[in-house]
Amino acid sequence: MAQERSQWTGRLGFILAASGSAIGLGNLWKFPYITYENNGGAFVLVYLAAIAVVGVPIMVAEVLLGRRSQKNPVGAFRVLAAGKPGGKWWQAVGFLGVLTGFVILSYYSVVAGWTIRYILLAVSGKLAGLAHHPAAMQSFFGEFLSNPWQQIFFHCLFMGATIGIVYFGVGRGIERAARFLMPVLLSILVMLVVYSFWTPGFGDAMRFLFRPNFSELTTGGVLEALGHSFFTLSLGMGAMLTYGSYMRKRDSIPRAALTICAMDTMIAIMACIVMFSIIFSFDFEVTKSSTILFTTLPVVFFQLPGGSAVSALFYVLVAFAALTSTISLLEVVSSYAIDELGWRRQRATLTMGAAILVFGILSAVSLGGNATLSDINFIGRSSTAGVFGTLDYLASNWFLPVGGLLIALFTGWFLGREASKEELEEGNGPLGWAFPLWRFLIRIAAPAAVGAIIVSVILGAEYQ
Ligand code: PHE
């Protein structure tokens, strides 16, 4: 199997695909609602700090590990850790990553499926009727969630689209999709931001987001901000590592990593500005924050001029963003099967995709369709209820930070200074002071921050 590894066709190809992975439901669905739950300002600041201190250095590290090893997450650790202390045990970090990708994709695709339902609603004109009565909108969404067949159907549709793209591989599938989807996504979002600027709630939204009140911040909120910084940047499970393995040697890793982090953060903030401006324009009571996107927003969209067009555009935006993320999740699992199990790409994407699709049915029916599955809740908070909530909680608040911590420790303490320096300067040129700064962040600051938060949550009864 001396086949050459696929590559992105250019610098932009990698940046678009990787930003596509990063920008997704995390930015448009999750960030706004956890910001809302954690009362804005202070939470946003902690999140921005987490991106800078933990997100950026780990993004650099993951891409570096991928491009250096030219492998999937398991293979990368196998190759790079060979002969180092702990040698083959590091592969476990890769396995954790592949497993996390499997788990995240299984429930992520369920939410992504909702966007298809909403595009259909908006285009067919039915959304207008529902959205004129907040109660009708709520009960529509409730019934939709508890209808197991519909949940399964849209989840399957979304998985089908994902499998269909990854099936065609890195250049013809993933990159081609990203080159089309990302510019459309950006244009739609910019239009919506301009639109929100003219709504009466714009000022309140800005105050809510950028005026911190630290007395409202909890330990749980800090963990959530940290966990989310991993989730939103697709870090801690090898997605960026896998995409990095297709990166050309003549492109710069630090520059690409910074661009991706900046784009992702910008989009998350823009999404909040749009959503909160619209919500604060009306005295609208948000009953369940995790469903803002599907119950509150449609109602407010239709209070404003052009509701049908705005809402259709909006759900297309969300669907596109989700699709470029589900692609990267499936690619991690597939590239593992291709490299490590020696499968052909077609077999890998179809088999792994089907396995994830089937596992995802548990989440799909746990939203009200099946009482047993929706009652599971060993963490005991409303947002962690059911198979769906539990998997999301475990994956984003535990698997990703733990994976990220181990990736940071490996890169900082085991990979070797020279190897990192060489890879980071390849395609970039001398890094100067930036290299020691990154080394400090990846060896000390990032592990300390992630470690401290993990320990404080384990010890602290405050949380829950
Ligand atoms: N970053 C994606 C989002 O914000 C989710 C994701 C997580 C994708 C981990 C890949 C890996 O929606």
Side-chain angles (χ1 to χ4, degrees), residues 254-275:
R255 250 178 265 156
L258 279 173
T259 312
I260 299 160
C261 293
M263 295 249 292
D264 185 80
T265 309
M266 241 174 48
I267 302 261
I269 300 284
M270 282 163 75
C272 281
I273 294 177
V274 171
M275 291 177 52

Side-chain angles (χ1 to χ4, degrees), residues 20 23-25 28 108 111-119 158 161-162 181 185 188 293-294 312-327:
I23 298 163
L25 295 174
L28 304 173
Y108 196 96
V111 181
W114 301 347
T115 63
I116 305 186
R117 180 78 188 98
Y118 273 67
I119 294 173
F158 214 89
T162 307
L181 298 174
L185 183 157
I188 299 181
L293 200 62
F294 299 97
L313 269 183
F314 182 79
Y315 291 108
V316 170
L317 161 79
V318 184
F320 280 9
L323 185 59
T324 47
S325 301
T326 53
I327 291 172

Side-chain angles (χ1 to χ4, degrees), residues 40-54:
F43 178 81
V44 174
L45 261 188
V46 176
Y47 164 78
L48 292 176
I51 297 278
V53 177
V54 180

Side-chain angles (χ1 to χ4, degrees), residues 21-27 104 108 231-234 237 239 325 328-329:
S21 168
I23 298 163
L25 295 174
N27 306 59
I104 294 182
Y108 196 96
F231 186 86
T232 189
L233 293 173
S234 307
M237 50 144 297
S325 301
S328 71
L329 288 159

Side-chain angles (χ1 to χ4, degrees), residues 269-340:
I269 300 284
M270 282 163 75
C272 281
I273 294 177
V274 171
M275 291 177 52
F276 293 127
S277 298
I278 296 181
I279 290 173
F280 294 160
S281 296
F282 304 93
D283 257 339
F284 201 85
E285 206 199 331
V286 175
T287 37
K288 188 156 188 283
S289 46
S290 63
T291 65
I292 292 180
L293 200 62
F294 299 97
T295 54
T296 316
L297 266 192
V299 172
V300 277
F301 277 149
F302 282 92
Q303 310 272 331
L304 299 162
S308 287
V310 176
S311 54
L313 269 183
F314 182 79
Y315 291 108
V316 170
L317 161 79
V318 184
F320 280 9
L323 185 59
T324 47
S325 301
T326 53
I327 291 172
S328 71
L329 288 159
L330 182 57
E331 179 60 19
V332 171
V333 184
S334 306
S335 73
Y336 161 74
I338 296 169
D339 292 351
E340 303 300 307

